[in-house]
Structure formats: C-alpha cells, structure tokens
C-alpha cells in the first residue's frame, strides 16, 4: 500500500499550499504524527476509509478552485464594463463635437446671409436719388374701391388700385391706377387709365396715361406716352408719343416727342414736339 501513502503525502502538500489549514502545519507534533502513520503502513489498510478521506480533500480543493475562478471572472468582467462605458463616453464626445461643428457652421451661414428689405433699398438709393412710388416694384395685390364707398384722405398702395367709388384725396400706387368713379386729388402711379371717370387734379405716371371716351380730366398730365379719347383741360407733357383720338377734346398745350391727331379731334392750345430728335433750329440755318 505504499502507493496510497505517497499519493496522500503529495496530495496533502498540494492542499496545504492552496488551502492553508491549522490541521496541516510544520509543527513537531504533526511531524511525529506523520512518522507514526509511516510506521503503521505495514499494517493492513482500510481502502474505503482512505478513499473517503481523499474525497474530503477533493471537496476542499474544489471549493478553493471555485472561489479563485469567481474572483478571476469578477476581475475580468469589471474591466469589460469599464471598456463599454468608455466606448459610450467616446461616442457621446464625438457626437457633441459634430453637433458643435454643425451649430458653428449654421451660425456662420446665418451671419453671412443678409436679407434685403424695402427699408434697405430706400437707404441705398437715398444717396443717389429719391425714387417715387411709381418707380418702385409693384406687388400683386389689387385694391378695389367699390361704387358705394367714399374715402376722404390720401390713399397709398404698393399694388394696383381700382377706383369705382369716390376718393377725396391724393392717390399713390406702385401699380396700375384704374378710375371709373370720381377722384378729387392728385395721382401718382405706374400706369393711369380713366374710363368714364371724372378726375380733378394732376395726373403723374411713369408709364402710359389713357383717358377713355366719356372721361373728364381737369388737370395737367405728365407721362411717358398718352392716348386721349376723352376731355382734358390742362397741359399734356409727354416725353414719348401722344395720340389724340377722334372723340378727344383738349384745352391746353401739348408737349411731346410726336403727336398724332385724328380727324374730328378738338384742340385749343399749342402743340410742341420739343422732345423730338430733329434739330429744328439747324434746319433753318
């Protein structure tokens, strides 16, 4: 049975190294006990008893190994958790940096972008010239003064105005001014058209002035071109052509580049083509 003795001694040494115990030390008493055990090896040994002792040793070693593995696994898991948290923090930092760059880019874009407003246009043009409402760009809106409406006071619009009722005051609009009612006041527009209307006041337009049949205008007319088919009492100053139709009655002087007077028109005044390209004085010498 020397095999069991050697195996038990080796196993006991290994257990003492892994699991220190008070029952296994290097004291003299234990040494004496070991000697006694050696001396009794020649006697008959109970194999089952020895195996049961070995089983107890196996259990102690198993517990020790399990504890060591648990500690080792715990030590390994914590760094993994730390690594995961570090990766999340890095991703969050990268996202914050990207957001900051995007915000900075947007702010720079907004700073470089300048909106253009009518106030800016007015301030830029103030140094060169003071544009009137008729030269400014007209909007798409169209104001209508109905027949049963009477307005006392000045009227302004960035679009067009259609006057079917009565206005006692000056009218200023960037678009077309159409009058089929009564206006007592001066008007300034991009285009003027009177149809069966009565206008008492100066007519100033940056475009064409049309006075239709049955319309009466008492006041001077200033335009770039004109077509007169109604009655006008006042001077007509047009830098372009003027057409005086058959039904027209003009009491006043006409100053233009060219004049076309149809048969039947009545003109009491002088016609002068002062805006013509012809050098009248040079012709006569």
């Amino acid at each position: 049975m020397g095999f069991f003795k050697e195996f038990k001694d080796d196993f006991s040494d290994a257990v003492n190294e892994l699991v220190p115990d008070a029952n296994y030390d290097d004291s003299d008493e234990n040494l004496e006990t070991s000697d006694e055990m050696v001396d009794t090896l020649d006697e008959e040994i109970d194999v089952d008893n020895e195996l049961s002792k070995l089983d107890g040793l196996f259990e102690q070693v198993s517990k020790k190994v399990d504890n060591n593995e648990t500690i080792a696994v715990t030590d390994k898991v914590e760094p993994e958790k730390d690594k995961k948290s570090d990766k999340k923090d890095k991703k969050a930092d990268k996202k914050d940096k990207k957001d900051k760059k995007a915000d900075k880019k947007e702010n720079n874009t907004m700073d470089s972008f300048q909106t253009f407003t009518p106030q800016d246009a007015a301030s830029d043009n103030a140094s060169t010239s003071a544009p009137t409402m008729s030269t400014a760009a007209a909007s798409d809106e169209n104001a209508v003064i109905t027949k049963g409406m009477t307005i006392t006071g000045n009227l302004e619009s960035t679009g067009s105005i259609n006057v079917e009722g009565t206005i006692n005051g000056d009218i200023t609009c960037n678009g077309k001014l159409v009058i089929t009612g009564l206006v007592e006041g001066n008007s300034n527009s991009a285009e003027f058209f009177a149809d069966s209307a009565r206008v008492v006041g100066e007519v100033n337009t940056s475009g064409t002035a049309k006075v239709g049949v049955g319309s009466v205008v008492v006041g001077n007319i200033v335009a770039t071109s004109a077509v007169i088919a109604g009655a006008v009492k006042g001077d007509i100053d047009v830098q372009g052509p003027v057409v005086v139709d058959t039904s027209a009655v003009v009491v006043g002087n006409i100053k233009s580049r060219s004049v076309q007077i149809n048969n039947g028109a009545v003109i009491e005044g002088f016609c002068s083509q002062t805006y013509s390209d012809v050098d009248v004085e040079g012709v006569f010498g």
Side-chain angles (χ1 to χ4, degrees):
M1 295 298 177
F3 171 78
F4 284 102
K5 176 184 178 302
E6 292 178 0
F7 181 76
K8 183 176 181 180
D9 292 339
D10 294 336
F11 204 87
S12 298
D13 293 337
V15 171
N16 289 333
E17 290 178 1
L18 295 175
V19 185
D21 194 281
N23 295 327
Y24 298 91
D25 54 17
D26 296 333
S27 62
D28 294 337
E29 294 179 357
N30 290 335
L31 289 174
E32 292 176 356
T33 305
S34 299
D35 292 338
E36 293 176 1
M37 293 175 65
V38 173
D39 293 337
T40 59
L41 286 175
D42 294 335
E43 298 177 0
E44 186 177 356
I45 298 174
D46 187 358
V47 177
D48 295 334
N49 187 21
E50 294 296 332
L51 290 175
S52 65
K53 292 180 180 180
L54 291 175
D55 292 338
L57 292 174
F58 276 122
E59 292 178 359
Q60 293 180 4
V61 173
S62 298
K63 291 180 180 180
K64 183 66 177 177
V65 172
D66 292 338
N67 292 333
N68 291 335
E69 289 179 354
T70 303
I71 295 171
V73 170
T74 303
D75 294 340
K76 291 180 180 179
V77 170
E78 290 180 354
E80 290 179 356
K81 291 182 179 179
D82 295 338
K83 289 180 180 179
K84 290 181 180 179
S85 60
D86 292 340
K87 289 181 180 179
K88 290 182 179 179
D89 294 338
K90 288 180 181 179
K91 289 182 180 179
D93 294 338
K94 289 182 180 180
K95 187 176 181 181
D96 292 338
K97 288 181 180 179
K98 288 182 180 180
D99 293 339
K100 288 181 180 179
K101 288 182 180 180
D103 294 338
K104 186 176 181 181
K105 185 176 181 181
E106 184 177 358
N107 291 332
N108 292 334
T109 304
M110 292 301 294
D111 292 338
S112 60
F113 179 76
Q114 295 180 352
T115 57
F116 185 79
T117 59
Q119 290 81 2
D120 296 333
S123 61
D124 292 338
N125 294 330
S127 59
T128 57
S129 61
T132 60
M133 293 292 292
S134 60
T135 59
S139 63
D140 295 333
E141 63 182 8
N142 185 17
V144 179
I145 309 301
T146 60
K147 291 182 179 180
M149 183 180 295
T150 301
I151 296 177
T152 301
N154 299 333
L155 183 63
E156 295 184 5
S157 175
T158 57
S160 300
I161 299 177
N162 190 349
V163 181
E164 298 176 0
T166 301
I167 295 179
N168 297 318
D170 298 338
I171 301 174
T172 302
C173 66
N174 294 351
K176 183 176 182 180
L177 175 60
V178 178
I179 302 174
T180 58
L182 173 63
V183 174
E184 293 185 357
N186 301 328
S187 64
N188 191 331
S189 62
E191 188 175 353
F192 177 85
F193 178 43
D195 184 15
S196 300
R198 179 176 178 83
V199 178
V200 179
E202 305 289 334
V203 175
N204 191 335
T205 177
S206 59
T208 301
K210 297 179 181 179
V211 179
V213 178
S215 298
V216 176
V217 176
V218 180
N220 300 329
I221 298 176
V222 178
T224 56
S225 62
V227 177
I228 309 298
V232 176
K233 186 177 183 179
D235 295 335
I236 300 174
D237 189 347
V238 176
Q239 294 183 357
V242 173
V243 176
V244 182
D245 204 358
T246 302
S247 58
V249 175
V250 177
V251 179
N253 300 325
I254 299 175
K255 186 188 295 184
S256 66
R257 182 175 182 177
S258 63
V259 179
Q260 176 183 337
I261 302 175
N262 293 336
N263 187 19
V266 177
I267 300 176
E268 293 185 3
F270 296 99
C271 292
S272 174
Q273 296 177 310
T274 56
Y275 301 119
S276 175
D277 295 333
V278 178
D279 184 6
V280 178
E281 295 180 358
V283 171
F284 294 98

